[in-house]
Amino acid sequence: MITVLAVTFAAATVAPWIFRKLQRNAFYVLAAVPAGAFVWLLLQYGQIYPGQNLTGSGAGTSGGFIEETLPWIPNLKLEFAFRMDPLAWVMSLLVLGVGALVLVYCARYFKNKDADLGGFGAQLLAFAGAMFGLVTADDLLMMFIFWELTTVLSYLLIGYARTRLAARRSALQALMVTTAGGLAMLVGLIILGQVAGTYRISAVMAQAATFVTGPAQGAVAAAVVLILIGAITKSALVPFHFWLPGAMAAPTPVSAYLHAAAMVKAGIYIVARMAPGFSESPYWLPLVLGLGLSTMLVGGYRALRQTDIKLILAYGTVSQLGFLTMVVGLGRPDAALAGLALLLAHGLFKASLFLVVGIIDHQSGTRDIRKLSGVYKSSRALAIVAGIAAASMAGIPPLAGFVAKESVFEAFVHYGAGPSGAGAASQPWGLILLVGLVLGSVLTFAYSARFMWGAFATKPGVDPTPFKAVQPSFLAAPAILSFLTIVYGLWPDPVDGWIQPYAALFAGHDAGADTAVASHLALWHGLTPALGLTAVTFAAGVAMFYGRNLVSRAQSRIPDWVDGDRAYQRTIGALDDVAVWVTGRTQRGSLYFYLAVILTVAFAVPLTALIMANKPLPGGLYLIDPNSPLQLIAAAGIVVGALAAVRANKRFLAVLMVSVTGYGIALMFALQGAPDLALTQMLVETIILVAFVLAMRSLPPELRDRTGGKYRVVRVIIGVAFGVTMIFVAIYAMGARIAEPVSLSFPRLAYEGGGGLNVVNVTLVDIRAWDTFGEISVLAVAATGVASLIFVRSRGERLNKAATVPEGTVGRRAAVGGSSREDASLALVRKFAGSLTDPWLVAGRTLAPERRSIIFEVVTRLIFHSLIVFSVYLLLAGHNLPGGGFAGGLTAGLALTIRYLAGGRFELREAAPISAGMLLGTGLATAAAAGFVPLVLGGQVFQSAIIGFWLPLFGDIKFVTSTIFDIGVYLVVVGLALDVLRSLGAEIDEHFEETASGDAGGPGEARATASTAYGKRRP
């Protein structure tokens, strides 16, 4: 199973490339993936059904299973756990078999000129993999992951026609409804997993009976309701049924697969999976039967009002999904058998009908029954294929729909009679449900006939519809599905054998023993009450079809008191209005207001908790560590810096004072024996100070109203309250520990497991590598965010623009008659281009005189290379000595900063000709590879290895593979520093130069032009 998933998603990844080579014929290649998985599925039959052959005959009555497990995150109880049992096997038949046929159909449905076929094919194949993972997952959280994958992929597939407003709206509607249900379902799954003490579905179901009646029955009942909400939204039951007809904006192959055979069956699968254990939960039957019956009637009623044959099928699908939910959720052996039989039959006939609709639309250009006429005469083969599928949907013998529906009627007849035939009085709702089922089946027959009449009949007064000939390859997929519908109806024994092991799970579920034994699928059960109900259904259905005009007039007189789509739109509109109201009162553009809200909440909540706890202060408090009295000096510097920052009226002074507090904290770290933290803090403060100073060049120097305003006292109170509260929170937090800190074992773990003596660095790159990987990911995102605010175009494009002279500049200026200033600029360009040699840091040629500092240039020449070497030393030595990738990257970033300050933006380009984005990406990729490679080699993610070897001159060398991860950290930090320098430094420099040359001309323009020439001269 894991292999099937891996191959499917891998094929989806390379699908766009395949489409570039083969165009629409690439669908055949993609179809081979689920087709191969389907063959593999058939080969597993002997293990799933021991004692039976593929035809369902044999001595075996109980099902087997196949399990595959791959550990993932054991501490979070996450693992790749998959289990193939009879229910999963039957569902996989539908997912893989129909998926392969739909992909084959796509090769003829789409044209080579259609946009983004590669993306569409990849998404459709990935959806097949996600559905297969969903039905085989044996872990609640893993199942939810696949559940949400189907939601996201369905959103993309429904919105395939991105230029159409209806497609985008429908995709968003489906996403929001199913995601909301999925979130409710997630809460239920977590509650259930916590109550059970395990997230393995098979283990939960084995103990389900004890949960329903045990001490945690209230929590279990709530969990079951939440899970059912997820199933209801996914399977489009009332009141969430409206999203499915809207999803018909998707291409027809998507409708055939997602909305007939696969995605909407996910909710039915969840109900079927949980029914053996939780159908006796107090809220189960009211939800499943009530909403199921309502959906069946509403969907059938709405189907008769549609004039689009695709919408007829869509509302018919809604009706059938309600039907299926009722049957599989009834919690009885006969109903379980009938439910899965109907699920398979529905997948066959409904997928076939949707594919037929796609052919009609493709060949005629319309789906409107008021315009379609005479299609039967134009394509009899297509009409026959559709007729077989529609007859099965109506429940006409000898087709699959008839066999399944007969079993459903039998199950509900027995349910209404009660245990051992006690009479309808023992099941007061049994008769109502049975009447509702018959009425829903009448509507099904009527809209099935309406579909055939609307799509193929010759209508009086309507011109024959032009219809292109249908190629056999185009008709093949629906024809195969219709053929299987006939085979299933005439020979239901194999399907009966596939389902019986699942039905046996309901043994003892409040059903008469005679009912449980007698349940089986057959084309003929004799003259039974179910057959009588079928006859009533046919008679009433035929009457409704022939009286369709009367029915239509009656429906037109009945107003839509409740419309799900309108209710959804009003709800979203109300949410938008509330959002606008809240945003207008909270997002006021005032930094003071935002900080006041944040800090007030940050101190009010902890302070309330401290007051309610009413605990004394822990003992052993002291103001100054007696072993380190120098802390008093550092603390005084921090306080002075903070107060000076508050009182400063200049931006630069305020930032400088804030940095003083940071350097004071670095001194505190050093005094407490933490050189690694002190070094990192000092480097961080320095690079932040530089970034602030660079950014402030575009801001006014003075801080107006810095300490004024009518809310000054309020701000002071909030600031003091926040600071004092945090002091006491820290004191209580440090005094609240009752267990031994885990960090006490870090030195031993660092040396024995991480192979290093520097506990801080080994913790970052080994013990808690996941945290560090998340942090460097945030750094990369932050760098991208900063660059996106500054650069108009991409980093590389903007940088190259800054370092090149546009072609033809001289010619254009000469043609229009250049001024004397332009001539002087060009002369400077020629002079510099002819005289530049290879020495670096030629600030006299790239900086304006007022920006130069000879002393700074000399110092830069002396220390730049040393700083780069020192940064590499910190990187390599950090495993055993103070340093590491973060400190080394910051040091290299400071070296680049010094060179930029000394020589300007062109010198920065010279020092680091590589793109910052390239460094960030390479660093992240290196760190990710350091985590992924151990998993491929049979270890755990981010597991490190200690490798010892001997080198001449160096002797014995101990290399720890976590150093590779540290190299990734180094590259990310250097990339961040470079991006900040180019964004806040070089880019702003260029803006200033452009402004100066445009406003003042003369030397300013000449200097800018010369700088540009220098950038072009230097590679």
Side-chain angles (χ1 to χ4, degrees):
M1 289 173 279
I2 294 177
T3 302
V4 169
L5 288 170
V7 171
T8 302
F9 286 114
T13 302
V14 301
W17 178 84
I18 300 175
F19 275 88
R20 283 198 294 271
K21 299 295 182 181
L22 303 178
Q23 296 186 319
R24 68 175 182 172
N25 289 329
F27 279 112
Y28 292 128
V29 179
L30 298 190
V33 178
F38 185 84
V39 173
W40 170 86
L41 187 68
L42 297 179
L43 295 177
Q44 310 309 307
Y45 186 86
Q47 298 184 62
I48 307 300
Y49 299 94
Q52 291 188 25
N53 55 36
L54 197 56
T55 62
S57 61
T61 57
S62 61
F65 59 87
I66 304 171
E67 286 187 332
E68 293 181 12
T69 304
L70 183 65
W72 185 18
I73 309 177
N75 291 339
L76 296 180
K77 298 181 180 179
L78 281 178
E79 56 185 358
F80 294 98
F82 299 93
R83 179 185 173 97
M84 179 74 71
D85 60 7
L87 176 59
W89 193 86
V90 170
M91 289 295 300
S92 298
L93 282 178
L94 206 59
V95 169
L96 298 174
V98 177
L101 290 174
V102 168
L103 284 168
V104 169
Y105 174 88
C106 288
R108 300 299 98 189
Y109 178 83
F110 290 101
K111 300 180 177 67
N112 286 328
K113 63 181 181 181
D114 288 333
D116 196 24
L117 285 184
F120 176 85
Q123 292 158 11
L124 193 59
L125 182 60
F127 181 88
M131 274 300 301
F132 180 75
L134 190 155
V135 301
T136 57
D138 195 33
D139 181 270
L140 292 173
L141 297 180
M142 185 58 58
M143 180 189 70
F144 177 76
I145 291 173
F146 285 112
W147 180 279
E148 289 304 298
L149 271 178
T150 61
T151 298
V152 174
L153 289 168
S154 71
Y155 164 75
L156 297 173
L157 290 167
I158 294 171
Y160 167 71
R162 299 173 181 83
T163 58
R164 291 174 50 207
L165 179 61
R168 299 199 305 271
R169 175 185 175 277
S170 299
L172 185 60
Q173 184 183 74
L175 178 70
M176 294 185 68
V177 173
T178 54
T179 300
L183 292 176
M185 179 180 175
L186 175 61
V187 176
L189 294 176
I190 293 175
I191 293 174
L192 193 59
Q194 291 301 113
V195 170
T198 176
Y199 282 82
R200 292 294 289 268
I201 297 176
S202 54
V204 171
M205 297 306 300
Q207 309 172 59
T210 61
F211 299 150
V212 173
T213 58
Q217 57 182 316
V220 171
V224 169
V225 170
L226 291 170
I227 293 171
L228 284 178
I229 289 174
I232 288 166
T233 55
K234 198 78 156 185
S235 290
L237 267 64
V238 168
F240 306 107
H241 62 287
F242 55 87
W243 74 260
L244 181 57
M248 294 302 109
T252 300
V254 174
S255 302
Y257 190 39
L258 275 66
H259 307 132
M263 176 185 169
V264 292
K265 296 295 196 310
I268 307 299
Y269 166 75
I270 293 298
V271 174
R273 176 61 73 189
M274 298 190 64
F278 296 98
S279 60
E280 296 179 4
S281 180
Y283 304 107
W284 178 278
L285 287 181
L287 280 173
V288 167
L289 297 180
L291 295 181
L293 181 59
S294 301
T295 304
M296 185 180 185
L297 297 176
V298 169
Y301 172 81
R302 294 298 298 270
L304 291 175
R305 302 188 65 171
Q306 307 306 313
T307 57
D308 185 329
I309 55 176
K310 194 174 182 182
L311 285 180
I312 293 175
L313 295 182
Y315 280 103
T317 301
V318 169
S319 178
Q320 293 285 306
L321 289 171
F323 194 13
L324 281 166
T325 302
M326 291 178 64
V327 185
V328 299
L330 190 59
R332 294 164 54 96
D334 49 357
L337 180 75
L340 287 196
L342 184 60
L343 184 144
L344 281 176
H346 178 266
L348 294 175
F349 63 67
K350 191 55 68 74
S352 176
L353 288 173
F354 269 114
L355 297 180
V356 166
V357 168
I359 294 175
I360 294 175
D361 190 16
H362 191 276
Q363 302 301 100
S364 67
T366 183
R367 301 194 305 255
D368 194 332
I369 62 175
R370 295 166 297 187
K371 299 178 181 178
L372 288 169
S373 180
V375 175
Y376 170 76
K377 296 179 180 178
S378 301
S379 181
R380 296 180 186 274
L382 180 65
I384 292 172
V385 169
I388 293 170
S392 181
M393 181 167 64
I396 296 175
L399 303 172
F402 170 78
V403 172
K405 193 168 291 187
E406 283 290 287
S407 298
V408 172
F409 282 159
E410 286 285 349
F412 275 88
V413 166
H414 294 148
Y415 178 72
S420 303
S426 64
Q427 298 284 352
W429 296 103
L431 182 59
I432 296 176
L433 291 173
L434 195 57
V435 171
L437 283 179
V438 173
L439 181 57
S441 298
V442 171
L443 294 174
T444 301
F445 188 100
Y447 68 67
S448 299
R450 178 180 175 84
F451 171 84
M452 287 301 299
W453 170 81
F456 295 98
T458 299
K459 303 177 182 68
V462 180
D463 295 333
T465 303
F467 199 85
K468 303 174 185 176
V470 182
Q471 297 178 355
S473 59
F474 200 7
L475 187 59
I480 291 173
L481 291 170
S482 292
F483 174 74
L484 292 176
T485 298
I486 299 173
V487 174
Y488 178 3
L490 294 174
W491 188 34
D493 292 344
V495 177
D496 183 77
W498 303 342
I499 302 174
Q500 284 292 353
Y502 170 72
L505 298 176
F506 294 84
H509 277 232
D510 222 15
D514 54 337
T515 299
V517 172
S519 297
H520 66 280
L521 299 178
L523 182 60
W524 176 251
H525 283 284
L527 298 176
T528 63
L531 186 61
L533 294 176
T534 299
V536 171
T537 299
F538 290 170
V542 170
M544 285 193 72
F545 171 71
Y546 280 104
R548 56 185 177 274
N549 294 331
L550 180 63
V551 171
S552 178
R553 286 195 295 269
Q555 283 185 318
S556 64
R557 294 190 181 97
I558 300 176
D560 290 331
W561 291 289
V562 178
D563 185 278
D565 187 60
R566 282 203 299 266
Y568 166 82
Q569 296 299 334
R570 290 171 181 169
T571 302
I572 296 299
L575 287 175
D576 287 342
D577 293 340
V578 172
V580 170
W581 184 86
V582 172
T583 302
R585 283 154 182 79
T586 56
Q587 303 299 313
R588 301 159 59 176
S590 171
L591 180 61
Y592 295 143
F593 177 78
Y594 300 154
L595 289 176
V597 172
I598 294 171
L599 295 181
T600 300
V601 174
F603 84 78
V605 175
L607 183 61
T608 303
L610 291 178
I611 294 174
M612 294 179 62
N614 194 25
K615 290 186 178 181
L617 286 170
L621 296 177
Y622 53 84
L623 184 62
I624 298 296
D625 188 351
N627 298 321
S628 182
L630 292 176
Q631 286 184 2
L632 186 60
I633 298 175
I638 293 173
V639 172
V640 170
L643 293 176
V646 171
R647 298 294 301 171
N649 291 321
K650 300 286 188 179
R651 294 183 190 274
F652 177 76
L653 182 60
V655 171
L656 192 61
M657 290 301 101
V658 170
S659 294
V660 168
T661 64
Y663 288 125
I665 294 173
L667 180 58
M668 294 282 281
F669 287 148
L671 294 174
Q672 285 298 106
D676 235 322
L677 295 179
L679 175 64
T680 303
Q681 175 71 19
M682 184 184 69
L683 293 171
V684 167
E685 283 298 330
T686 305
I687 201 74
I688 289 177
L689 176 60
V690 171
F692 268 113
V693 171
L694 292 176
M696 286 191 303
R697 294 180 298 164
S698 299
L699 300 174
E702 295 184 355
L703 287 168
R704 302 184 186 88
D705 299 328
R706 179 66 177 85
T707 56
K710 59 182 179 179
Y711 297 109
R712 178 180 181 183
V713 176
V714 175
R715 295 202 297 269
V716 171
I717 293 173
I718 293 175
V720 172
F722 175 76
V724 173
T725 301
M726 290 302 106
I727 291 173
F728 283 96
V729 167
I731 292 173
Y732 276 104
M734 290 188 292
R737 185 181 296 279
I738 59 176
E740 181 180 279
V742 67
S743 58
L744 294 180
S745 60
F746 275 18
R748 177 182 56 82
L749 292 173
Y751 184 73
E752 295 178 0
L757 296 173
N758 184 349
V759 179
V760 174
N761 184 255
V762 176
T763 300
L764 292 175
V765 301
D766 192 326
I767 300 176
R768 303 192 64 174
W770 274 109
D771 290 351
T772 307
F773 187 75
E775 290 164 3
I776 63 175
S777 301
V778 170
L779 285 179
V781 172
T784 303
V786 170
S788 66
L789 294 173
I790 302 297
F791 288 98
V792 178
R793 290 172 287 275
S794 67
R795 298 180 179 98
E797 183 182 351
R798 191 66 172 153
L799 192 62
N800 291 335
K801 173 183 176 294
T804 17
V805 176
E807 293 294 334
T809 301
V810 178
R812 283 196 300 272
R813 289 189 175 183
V816 298
S819 66
S820 60
R821 288 197 304 269
E822 292 169 344
D823 295 338
S825 300
L826 296 176
L828 280 172
V829 170
R830 296 189 187 96
K831 175 183 177 182
F832 290 162
S835 63
L836 288 176
T837 56
D838 289 332
W840 61 282
L841 200 58
V842 281
R845 299 167 183 171
T846 59
L847 285 179
E850 62 271 15
R851 289 190 56 190
R852 290 194 63 193
S853 171
I854 301 301
I855 296 177
F856 199 63
E857 292 175 20
V858 172
V859 172
T860 303
R861 288 175 180 270
L862 293 175
I863 68 172
F864 174 77
H865 299 93
S866 300
L867 281 176
I868 295 296
V869 173
F870 183 60
S871 74
V872 176
Y873 164 78
L874 290 175
L875 165 65
L876 299 178
H879 214 62
N880 294 290
L881 298 171
F886 197 76
L890 288 172
T891 303
L894 286 176
L896 293 173
T897 301
I898 293 172
R899 190 159 174 182
Y900 161 72
L901 294 175
R905 62 191 177 100
F906 296 109
E907 196 61 47
L908 177 64
R909 167 73 174 175
E910 186 75 10
I914 191 172
S915 166
M918 178 74 71
L919 279 175
L920 290 166
T922 303
L924 272 179
T926 303
F932 178 72
V933 170
L935 184 64
V936 175
L937 298 178
Q940 298 181 359
V941 179
F942 287 118
Q943 181 177 347
S944 61
I946 303 173
I947 303 172
F949 54 91
W950 181 89
L951 288 177
L953 300 179
F954 293 95
D956 293 326
I957 302 295
K958 182 180 73 171
F959 177 77
V960 184
T961 55
S962 59
T963 304
I964 299 173
F965 181 86
D966 219 8
I967 293 173
V969 175
Y970 178 90
L971 293 175
V972 168
V973 175
V974 174
L976 172 66
L978 185 58
D979 220 358
V980 169
L981 290 174
R982 286 179 175 166
S983 301
L984 302 179
E987 184 70 7
I988 294 178
D989 286 346
E990 186 178 353
H991 291 171
F992 285 158
E993 290 173 3
E994 291 174 351
T995 302
S997 64
D999 295 342
E1005 183 179 358
R1007 181 69 61 187
T1009 310
S1011 300
T1012 304
Y1014 175 77
K1016 184 177 181 181
R1017 175 70 173 83
R1018 303 284 287 181

